[in-house]
Amino acid sequence: MFGGVPYYLFIDHRLVSVTLASMFLIAGLAFLMNMSLIENPYKKLKSERLLFDPAYFSSLAKTYETYKRKYIALILLAICLILLAVILEFANIANFPLVEIQCILVASSVYLFIYGIGIIDAYDVLLRNEERMESLYWKFIKKLKK
């Protein structure tokens, strides 16, 4: 997303703009590769039963309900941003930087969507751990491990 800033900031100096934009692109790809190669810290949480104090579990459930509303709103905002980018694609506005705005809208919506889903899934792992352990998927995984 930040690669577009130097690209359009130094539009008169093509070499500088392309070089800086490429550096941001490479840094972003390196970050994504690094994140994909790191061991998943939640792997153990997803594969073992969790035991919580009932008071803590109820407070965690209340917190989840509060966060769930907020992050669902973020996900809906992300969907609206994608729809806005699609609407701008079909709009005929002369002398307006549509492509740049669409890139920012799409990049922002992807970030918001992934972030919101990640938070909701983390709370889901914590609160519905017992149900997950009893599902057919985990029973199949346990048989495969044996």
PDB file of all heavy atoms in Angstrom, residues 69-85 105-106 108-110 112-113:
ATOM      1  N   ARG A  69     -18.638  -7.344  17.888  1.00  0.00           N
ATOM      2  CA  ARG A  69     -19.412  -6.277  17.239  1.00  0.00           C
ATOM      3  C   ARG A  69     -18.498  -5.286  16.534  1.00  0.00           C
ATOM      4  O   ARG A  69     -18.754  -4.873  15.408  1.00  0.00           O
ATOM      5  CB  ARG A  69     -20.271  -5.552  18.270  1.00  0.00           C
ATOM      6  CG  ARG A  69     -21.427  -6.358  18.755  1.00  0.00           C
ATOM      7  CD  ARG A  69     -22.330  -5.525  19.651  1.00  0.00           C
ATOM      8  NE  ARG A  69     -23.145  -6.403  20.460  1.00  0.00           N
ATOM      9  CZ  ARG A  69     -23.044  -6.521  21.772  1.00  0.00           C
ATOM     10  NH1 ARG A  69     -22.187  -5.791  22.433  1.00  0.00           N
ATOM     11  NH2 ARG A  69     -23.810  -7.353  22.429  1.00  0.00           N
ATOM     12  N   LYS A  70     -17.421  -4.913  17.197  1.00  0.00           N
ATOM     13  CA  LYS A  70     -16.492  -3.945  16.612  1.00  0.00           C
ATOM     14  C   LYS A  70     -15.814  -4.500  15.364  1.00  0.00           C
ATOM     15  O   LYS A  70     -15.700  -3.809  14.350  1.00  0.00           O
ATOM     16  CB  LYS A  70     -15.423  -3.545  17.633  1.00  0.00           C
ATOM     17  CG  LYS A  70     -15.935  -2.718  18.777  1.00  0.00           C
ATOM     18  CD  LYS A  70     -14.837  -2.418  19.767  1.00  0.00           C
ATOM     19  CE  LYS A  70     -15.372  -1.666  20.964  1.00  0.00           C
ATOM     20  NZ  LYS A  70     -14.332  -1.415  21.975  1.00  0.00           N
ATOM     21  N   TYR A  71     -15.371  -5.731  15.448  1.00  0.00           N
ATOM     22  CA  TYR A  71     -14.635  -6.293  14.321  1.00  0.00           C
ATOM     23  C   TYR A  71     -15.551  -6.714  13.174  1.00  0.00           C
ATOM     24  O   TYR A  71     -15.121  -6.717  12.031  1.00  0.00           O
ATOM     25  CB  TYR A  71     -13.720  -7.424  14.780  1.00  0.00           C
ATOM     26  CG  TYR A  71     -12.555  -6.865  15.557  1.00  0.00           C
ATOM     27  CD1 TYR A  71     -12.446  -7.036  16.916  1.00  0.00           C
ATOM     28  CD2 TYR A  71     -11.586  -6.099  14.918  1.00  0.00           C
ATOM     29  CE1 TYR A  71     -11.392  -6.495  17.617  1.00  0.00           C
ATOM     30  CE2 TYR A  71     -10.535  -5.555  15.609  1.00  0.00           C
ATOM     31  CZ  TYR A  71     -10.438  -5.750  16.960  1.00  0.00           C
ATOM     32  OH  TYR A  71      -9.401  -5.192  17.652  1.00  0.00           O
ATOM     33  N   ILE A  72     -16.781  -7.052  13.470  1.00  0.00           N
ATOM     34  CA  ILE A  72     -17.731  -7.289  12.383  1.00  0.00           C
ATOM     35  C   ILE A  72     -18.017  -5.982  11.665  1.00  0.00           C
ATOM     36  O   ILE A  72     -18.143  -5.945  10.433  1.00  0.00           O
ATOM     37  CB  ILE A  72     -19.008  -7.978  12.907  1.00  0.00           C
ATOM     38  CG1 ILE A  72     -18.690  -9.443  13.208  1.00  0.00           C
ATOM     39  CG2 ILE A  72     -20.149  -7.861  11.921  1.00  0.00           C
ATOM     40  CD1 ILE A  72     -19.828 -10.239  13.767  1.00  0.00           C
ATOM     41  N   ALA A  73     -18.082  -4.883  12.425  1.00  0.00           N
ATOM     42  CA  ALA A  73     -18.238  -3.571  11.790  1.00  0.00           C
ATOM     43  C   ALA A  73     -17.036  -3.258  10.895  1.00  0.00           C
ATOM     44  O   ALA A  73     -17.191  -2.717   9.799  1.00  0.00           O
ATOM     45  CB  ALA A  73     -18.412  -2.489  12.847  1.00  0.00           C
ATOM     46  N   LEU A  74     -15.831  -3.620  11.343  1.00  0.00           N
ATOM     47  CA  LEU A  74     -14.636  -3.434  10.513  1.00  0.00           C
ATOM     48  C   LEU A  74     -14.703  -4.265   9.241  1.00  0.00           C
ATOM     49  O   LEU A  74     -14.333  -3.800   8.159  1.00  0.00           O
ATOM     50  CB  LEU A  74     -13.381  -3.838  11.288  1.00  0.00           C
ATOM     51  CG  LEU A  74     -12.593  -2.754  11.979  1.00  0.00           C
ATOM     52  CD1 LEU A  74     -11.377  -3.333  12.682  1.00  0.00           C
ATOM     53  CD2 LEU A  74     -12.180  -1.679  11.035  1.00  0.00           C
ATOM     54  N   ILE A  75     -15.183  -5.492   9.360  1.00  0.00           N
ATOM     55  CA  ILE A  75     -15.302  -6.362   8.187  1.00  0.00           C
ATOM     56  C   ILE A  75     -16.332  -5.794   7.219  1.00  0.00           C
ATOM     57  O   ILE A  75     -16.121  -5.792   5.999  1.00  0.00           O
ATOM     58  CB  ILE A  75     -15.649  -7.807   8.630  1.00  0.00           C
ATOM     59  CG1 ILE A  75     -14.459  -8.420   9.362  1.00  0.00           C
ATOM     60  CG2 ILE A  75     -16.065  -8.660   7.449  1.00  0.00           C
ATOM     61  CD1 ILE A  75     -14.759  -9.713  10.068  1.00  0.00           C
ATOM     62  N   LEU A  76     -17.436  -5.288   7.747  1.00  0.00           N
ATOM     63  CA  LEU A  76     -18.441  -4.663   6.885  1.00  0.00           C
ATOM     64  C   LEU A  76     -17.887  -3.406   6.221  1.00  0.00           C
ATOM     65  O   LEU A  76     -18.185  -3.136   5.047  1.00  0.00           O
ATOM     66  CB  LEU A  76     -19.703  -4.345   7.677  1.00  0.00           C
ATOM     67  CG  LEU A  76     -20.504  -5.559   8.149  1.00  0.00           C
ATOM     68  CD1 LEU A  76     -21.656  -5.115   9.034  1.00  0.00           C
ATOM     69  CD2 LEU A  76     -20.999  -6.362   6.965  1.00  0.00           C
ATOM     70  N   LEU A  77     -17.078  -2.641   6.943  1.00  0.00           N
ATOM     71  CA  LEU A  77     -16.419  -1.476   6.349  1.00  0.00           C
ATOM     72  C   LEU A  77     -15.500  -1.904   5.216  1.00  0.00           C
ATOM     73  O   LEU A  77     -15.452  -1.261   4.162  1.00  0.00           O
ATOM     74  CB  LEU A  77     -15.641  -0.698   7.408  1.00  0.00           C
ATOM     75  CG  LEU A  77     -14.816   0.480   6.903  1.00  0.00           C
ATOM     76  CD1 LEU A  77     -15.725   1.567   6.354  1.00  0.00           C
ATOM     77  CD2 LEU A  77     -13.936   1.019   8.018  1.00  0.00           C
ATOM     78  N   ALA A  78     -14.783  -3.003   5.409  1.00  0.00           N
ATOM     79  CA  ALA A  78     -13.894  -3.511   4.362  1.00  0.00           C
ATOM     80  C   ALA A  78     -14.693  -3.896   3.118  1.00  0.00           C
ATOM     81  O   ALA A  78     -14.281  -3.597   1.991  1.00  0.00           O
ATOM     82  CB  ALA A  78     -13.102  -4.713   4.881  1.00  0.00           C
ATOM     83  N   ILE A  79     -15.823  -4.528   3.309  1.00  0.00           N
ATOM     84  CA  ILE A  79     -16.668  -4.901   2.169  1.00  0.00           C
ATOM     85  C   ILE A  79     -17.198  -3.652   1.465  1.00  0.00           C
ATOM     86  O   ILE A  79     -17.230  -3.591   0.230  1.00  0.00           O
ATOM     87  CB  ILE A  79     -17.815  -5.826   2.647  1.00  0.00           C
ATOM     88  CG1 ILE A  79     -17.236  -7.174   3.092  1.00  0.00           C
ATOM     89  CG2 ILE A  79     -18.855  -6.014   1.562  1.00  0.00           C
ATOM     90  CD1 ILE A  79     -18.214  -8.069   3.800  1.00  0.00           C
ATOM     91  N   CYS A  80     -17.571  -2.646   2.249  1.00  0.00           N
ATOM     92  CA  CYS A  80     -18.044  -1.386   1.653  1.00  0.00           C
ATOM     93  C   CYS A  80     -16.938  -0.695   0.856  1.00  0.00           C
ATOM     94  O   CYS A  80     -17.208  -0.111  -0.212  1.00  0.00           O
ATOM     95  CB  CYS A  80     -18.571  -0.449   2.730  1.00  0.00           C
ATOM     96  SG  CYS A  80     -20.112  -1.010   3.469  1.00  0.00           S
ATOM     97  N   LEU A  81     -15.707  -0.750   1.342  1.00  0.00           N
ATOM     98  CA  LEU A  81     -14.592  -0.146   0.609  1.00  0.00           C
ATOM     99  C   LEU A  81     -14.347  -0.859  -0.719  1.00  0.00           C
ATOM    100  O   LEU A  81     -14.058  -0.214  -1.729  1.00  0.00           O
ATOM    101  CB  LEU A  81     -13.322  -0.156   1.460  1.00  0.00           C
ATOM    102  CG  LEU A  81     -13.287   0.797   2.650  1.00  0.00           C
ATOM    103  CD1 LEU A  81     -12.008   0.601   3.450  1.00  0.00           C
ATOM    104  CD2 LEU A  81     -13.437   2.224   2.200  1.00  0.00           C
ATOM    105  N   ILE A  82     -14.484  -2.176  -0.716  1.00  0.00           N
ATOM    106  CA  ILE A  82     -14.344  -2.930  -1.971  1.00  0.00           C
ATOM    107  C   ILE A  82     -15.460  -2.530  -2.934  1.00  0.00           C
ATOM    108  O   ILE A  82     -15.216  -2.326  -4.124  1.00  0.00           O
ATOM    109  CB  ILE A  82     -14.374  -4.453  -1.706  1.00  0.00           C
ATOM    110  CG1 ILE A  82     -13.094  -4.906  -1.040  1.00  0.00           C
ATOM    111  CG2 ILE A  82     -14.616  -5.243  -2.976  1.00  0.00           C
ATOM    112  CD1 ILE A  82     -11.895  -4.993  -1.941  1.00  0.00           C
ATOM    113  N   LEU A  83     -16.686  -2.428  -2.427  1.00  0.00           N
ATOM    114  CA  LEU A  83     -17.806  -2.023  -3.281  1.00  0.00           C
ATOM    115  C   LEU A  83     -17.600  -0.610  -3.823  1.00  0.00           C
ATOM    116  O   LEU A  83     -17.919  -0.337  -4.987  1.00  0.00           O
ATOM    117  CB  LEU A  83     -19.123  -2.112  -2.513  1.00  0.00           C
ATOM    118  CG  LEU A  83     -19.593  -3.525  -2.175  1.00  0.00           C
ATOM    119  CD1 LEU A  83     -20.842  -3.469  -1.307  1.00  0.00           C
ATOM    120  CD2 LEU A  83     -19.839  -4.331  -3.426  1.00  0.00           C
ATOM    121  N   LEU A  84     -17.057   0.277  -3.006  1.00  0.00           N
ATOM    122  CA  LEU A  84     -16.764   1.634  -3.467  1.00  0.00           C
ATOM    123  C   LEU A  84     -15.717   1.621  -4.575  1.00  0.00           C
ATOM    124  O   LEU A  84     -15.846   2.356  -5.564  1.00  0.00           O
ATOM    125  CB  LEU A  84     -16.298   2.505  -2.301  1.00  0.00           C
ATOM    126  CG  LEU A  84     -15.997   3.961  -2.617  1.00  0.00           C
ATOM    127  CD1 LEU A  84     -17.248   4.668  -3.143  1.00  0.00           C
ATOM    128  CD2 LEU A  84     -15.474   4.661  -1.382  1.00  0.00           C
ATOM    129  N   ALA A  85     -14.716   0.765  -4.442  1.00  0.00           N
ATOM    130  CA  ALA A  85     -13.698   0.648  -5.491  1.00  0.00           C
ATOM    131  C   ALA A  85     -14.314   0.131  -6.787  1.00  0.00           C
ATOM    132  O   ALA A  85     -13.964   0.595  -7.874  1.00  0.00           O
ATOM    133  CB  ALA A  85     -12.569  -0.269  -5.041  1.00  0.00           C
ATOM    134  N   LEU A 105      -8.128   1.931  -1.604  1.00  0.00           N
ATOM    135  CA  LEU A 105      -9.357   1.331  -1.056  1.00  0.00           C
ATOM    136  C   LEU A 105      -9.236  -0.183  -0.945  1.00  0.00           C
ATOM    137  O   LEU A 105      -9.608  -0.772   0.078  1.00  0.00           O
ATOM    138  CB  LEU A 105     -10.556   1.705  -1.918  1.00  0.00           C
ATOM    139  CG  LEU A 105     -11.025   3.157  -1.856  1.00  0.00           C
ATOM    140  CD1 LEU A 105     -12.133   3.387  -2.874  1.00  0.00           C
ATOM    141  CD2 LEU A 105     -11.489   3.504  -0.469  1.00  0.00           C
ATOM    142  N   VAL A 106      -8.726  -0.813  -1.978  1.00  0.00           N
ATOM    143  CA  VAL A 106      -8.602  -2.276  -1.966  1.00  0.00           C
ATOM    144  C   VAL A 106      -7.579  -2.721  -0.925  1.00  0.00           C
ATOM    145  O   VAL A 106      -7.825  -3.657  -0.156  1.00  0.00           O
ATOM    146  CB  VAL A 106      -8.248  -2.806  -3.378  1.00  0.00           C
ATOM    147  CG1 VAL A 106      -7.866  -4.265  -3.327  1.00  0.00           C
ATOM    148  CG2 VAL A 106      -9.418  -2.591  -4.324  1.00  0.00           C
ATOM    149  N   SER A 108      -6.616  -1.145   1.779  1.00  0.00           N
ATOM    150  CA  SER A 108      -7.171  -0.893   3.113  1.00  0.00           C
ATOM    151  C   SER A 108      -8.224  -1.926   3.471  1.00  0.00           C
ATOM    152  O   SER A 108      -8.271  -2.421   4.601  1.00  0.00           O
ATOM    153  CB  SER A 108      -7.791   0.496   3.185  1.00  0.00           C
ATOM    154  OG  SER A 108      -6.837   1.471   2.908  1.00  0.00           O
ATOM    155  N   SER A 109      -9.067  -2.270   2.520  1.00  0.00           N
ATOM    156  CA  SER A 109     -10.125  -3.236   2.820  1.00  0.00           C
ATOM    157  C   SER A 109      -9.561  -4.633   3.061  1.00  0.00           C
ATOM    158  O   SER A 109     -10.047  -5.338   3.944  1.00  0.00           O
ATOM    159  CB  SER A 109     -11.157  -3.258   1.699  1.00  0.00           C
ATOM    160  OG  SER A 109     -10.570  -3.736   0.517  1.00  0.00           O
ATOM    161  N   VAL A 110      -8.546  -5.019   2.321  1.00  0.00           N
ATOM    162  CA  VAL A 110      -7.925  -6.331   2.557  1.00  0.00           C
ATOM    163  C   VAL A 110      -7.306  -6.366   3.949  1.00  0.00           C
ATOM    164  O   VAL A 110      -7.463  -7.340   4.693  1.00  0.00           O
ATOM    165  CB  VAL A 110      -6.877  -6.646   1.462  1.00  0.00           C
ATOM    166  CG1 VAL A 110      -6.016  -7.821   1.843  1.00  0.00           C
ATOM    167  CG2 VAL A 110      -7.570  -6.908   0.141  1.00  0.00           C
ATOM    168  N   LEU A 112      -8.128  -4.529   6.641  1.00  0.00           N
ATOM    169  CA  LEU A 112      -9.185  -4.539   7.645  1.00  0.00           C
ATOM    170  C   LEU A 112      -9.874  -5.893   7.734  1.00  0.00           C
ATOM    171  O   LEU A 112     -10.173  -6.385   8.825  1.00  0.00           O
ATOM    172  CB  LEU A 112     -10.221  -3.450   7.343  1.00  0.00           C
ATOM    173  CG  LEU A 112      -9.770  -2.013   7.510  1.00  0.00           C
ATOM    174  CD1 LEU A 112     -10.855  -1.063   7.020  1.00  0.00           C
ATOM    175  CD2 LEU A 112      -9.413  -1.729   8.946  1.00  0.00           C
ATOM    176  N   PHE A 113     -10.107  -6.514   6.585  1.00  0.00           N
ATOM    177  CA  PHE A 113     -10.776  -7.817   6.561  1.00  0.00           C
ATOM    178  C   PHE A 113      -9.915  -8.889   7.246  1.00  0.00           C
ATOM    179  O   PHE A 113     -10.401  -9.628   8.100  1.00  0.00           O
ATOM    180  CB  PHE A 113     -11.081  -8.215   5.117  1.00  0.00           C
ATOM    181  CG  PHE A 113     -11.957  -9.412   4.996  1.00  0.00           C
ATOM    182  CD1 PHE A 113     -13.315  -9.305   5.152  1.00  0.00           C
ATOM    183  CD2 PHE A 113     -11.416 -10.653   4.726  1.00  0.00           C
ATOM    184  CE1 PHE A 113     -14.134 -10.416   5.051  1.00  0.00           C
ATOM    185  CE2 PHE A 113     -12.215 -11.768   4.622  1.00  0.00           C
ATOM    186  CZ  PHE A 113     -13.582 -11.651   4.787  1.00  0.00           C
TER     187      PHE A 113
END
